[in-house]
Amino acid sequence: QVQLVESGGGLVQAGDSLRLSCAASGGTISSSAIGWFRQAPGKEREFVCAIGWTGTILNGYSVKGRFTISRDNAKNTVLLQMNSLKPDDTAIYYCAVGSMLTRSQTYYAPWGQGTQVTVSS
């Protein structure tokens, strides 16, 4: 069973950048879609972006143009580069393995434990 571990979160100011990492162990993710989701306090978990095994990218509407997803199959890792961060980006960020490239959480499992991103104004 593949296990995912997110890292790279932290406290930053509005306008700053962060790069999150999703590292897989227990199996390869090179032939899987990987999605990033986030959950802010008191809100539903929402789709951020995803990348297919061919490199096709699916972006969430709230982050398009600011966040970039990429994958490093040699390191069994998917990265999320977040630029021009806003206070509304404050959330716990999760990565997950997708059975298909989609915005729907239904098709994603397993999930990592999440990493906290806090953006101050």
Side-chain angles (χ1 to χ4, degrees):
Q1 175 86 0
V2 171
Q3 293 183 321
L4 303 177
V5 177
E6 303 92 337
S7 61
L11 172 63
V12 297
Q13 293 186 332
D16 285 351
S17 298
L18 274 177
R19 189 175 73 170
L20 303 185
S21 177
C22 173
S25 62
T28 180
I29 57 172
S30 62
S31 58
S32 299
I34 300 295
W36 281 98
F37 295 79
R38 67 186 182 185
Q39 187 166 21
K43 295 187 178 181
E44 297 285 323
R45 187 161 57 187
E46 68 169 346
F47 173 79
V48 175
C49 57
I51 186 167
W53 67 274
T54 61
T56 300
I57 291 172
L58 196 60
N59 283 310
Y61 304 115
S62 62
V63 303
K64 194 172 183 180
R66 298 188 298 122
F67 291 10
T68 302
I69 189 171
S70 62
R71 62 192 311 155
D72 185 341
N73 289 333
K75 295 182 179 180
N76 218 22
T77 297
V78 171
L79 302 175
L80 182 64
Q81 179 67 42
M82 307 187 296
N83 298 328
S84 303
L85 284 163
K86 306 174 182 179
D88 285 348
D89 295 319
T90 295
I92 299 174
Y93 284 71
Y94 302 89
C95 63
V97 178
S99 59
M100 59 183 297
L101 186 63
T102 175
R103 292 184 174 90
S104 173
Q105 300 179 41
T106 303
Y107 296 92
Y108 287 88
W111 293 73
Q113 84 290 348
T115 185
Q116 175 72 47
V117 172
T118 303
V119 185
S120 64
S121 58

